[in-house]
Amino acid sequence: MALDVGADFEKRWLNAPQAVRQTYINDLTRICELFAADVRLDDWLSHNKQAQLQSYETIESAYAGLKARLLEEARIRRQHALEKSLAEKRAQQQAYIDDLQLDERLQYQAQTQQLQALQQQLSQESTNYTERYTTTPTLRFEPNANTVISPEIQHALDNLKIRLELEAEVLIEQIQQSVNSLNQKIQQAADEEIRHLLEQHPSSNT
């Protein structure tokens, strides 16, 4: 007797749930009982009918469980794929943010160096300007040796010398005050610019 089990029986058999394979084995064993000499056909048919119903329920339940398990495995695979995709996107976004922060830090460093260089230049120019105008000029009155100066004229010249020296000191003091004020304004402007840059680029300190 030839038994036709269909194409790809081995693959279908191995892929079937264990409960299904055991049910088929039980059904075959029950069928083989017909070949026994002492079998009573009526009893076998009655028992077989109940066994078939139980086998059907077992097979349906086993395949339903298999379907649920496959669906859950597919859901888990999709979830893992989604998590992997999100992780890759987050990594790309973080790399982009890191590049932006690096660029901001480099720009901040360059701007800070430019401001420091400008501040040093202005400070040097201010120092040169101060030294230039803070040297007290020497008022020298050297009349010609052959010139005869009367006491009245000499007294007037002395008064003029004193007045010019006083005016020169006042002028020098005013210039010094102007220079100091200019230095303060330059320092305040530089401090304000640096603070403004720090407020615009807070991430540059990290």
Side-chain angles (χ1 to χ4, degrees):
M1 181 179 65
L3 179 62
D4 185 8
V5 293
D8 298 329
F9 171 75
E10 181 178 357
K11 181 178 180 180
R12 288 186 289 109
W13 176 259
L14 295 176
N15 289 336
Q18 177 61 31
V20 173
R21 294 200 297 268
Q22 186 61 48
T23 299
Y24 287 150
I25 292 174
N26 294 339
D27 289 343
L28 290 174
T29 302
R30 190 175 62 257
I31 293 174
C32 290
E33 292 176 355
L34 287 175
F35 298 99
D38 58 346
V39 65
R40 296 180 61 180
L41 185 59
D42 292 338
D43 294 340
W44 184 90
L45 290 174
S46 177
H47 174 69
N48 182 66
K49 185 176 182 180
Q50 295 178 356
Q52 284 182 344
L53 292 176
Q54 184 177 359
S55 296
Y56 177 79
E57 293 176 356
T58 301
I59 292 173
E60 287 293 322
S61 176
Y63 276 114
L66 175 62
K67 181 179 180 180
R69 181 172 61 82
L70 293 177
L71 290 175
E72 178 64 16
E73 291 176 354
R75 185 193 67 80
I76 293 175
R77 287 194 299 271
R78 289 195 300 270
Q79 181 68 22
H80 289 170
L82 178 60
E83 292 175 355
K84 181 180 179 181
S85 176
L86 290 176
E88 291 176 350
K89 289 182 179 179
R90 291 193 188 100
Q92 293 175 355
Q93 292 175 352
Q94 186 61 44
Y96 178 72
I97 292 174
D98 292 342
D99 290 341
L100 288 180
Q101 291 178 344
L102 176 60
D103 183 66
E104 289 180 357
R105 286 196 295 269
L106 293 177
Q107 290 183 6
Y108 170 77
Q109 292 174 358
Q111 291 173 351
T112 302
Q113 292 175 355
Q114 291 176 358
L115 286 175
Q116 291 175 347
L118 177 60
Q119 185 177 5
Q120 293 176 356
Q121 180 181 357
L122 291 176
S123 178
Q124 184 63 40
E125 292 179 357
S126 175
T127 301
N128 296 337
Y129 184 81
T130 302
E131 292 177 351
R132 178 180 178 184
Y133 290 99
T134 54
T135 302
T136 304
T138 302
L139 299 177
R140 301 178 61 187
F141 294 91
E142 298 179 354
N144 192 294
N146 298 325
T147 302
V148 178
I149 301 176
S150 65
E152 292 80 3
I153 295 176
Q154 183 64 46
H155 180 70
L157 290 175
D158 292 339
N159 291 337
L160 177 62
K161 177 181 178 181
I162 293 173
R163 183 171 62 82
L164 290 176
E165 288 178 348
L166 292 175
E167 291 179 355
E169 290 179 359
V170 172
L171 179 60
I172 291 172
E173 183 177 357
Q174 292 176 350
I175 293 175
Q176 182 65 44
Q177 292 176 354
S178 299
V179 170
N180 292 336
S181 177
L182 177 61
N183 285 335
Q184 292 178 357
K185 291 181 179 180
I186 291 174
Q187 184 63 42
Q188 291 176 357
D191 293 341
E192 287 292 333
E193 183 65 20
I194 293 175
R195 183 164 55 253
H196 180 66
L197 288 174
L198 290 174
E199 292 174 353
Q200 285 186 336
H201 307 282
S203 61
S204 301
N205 296 328
T206 58

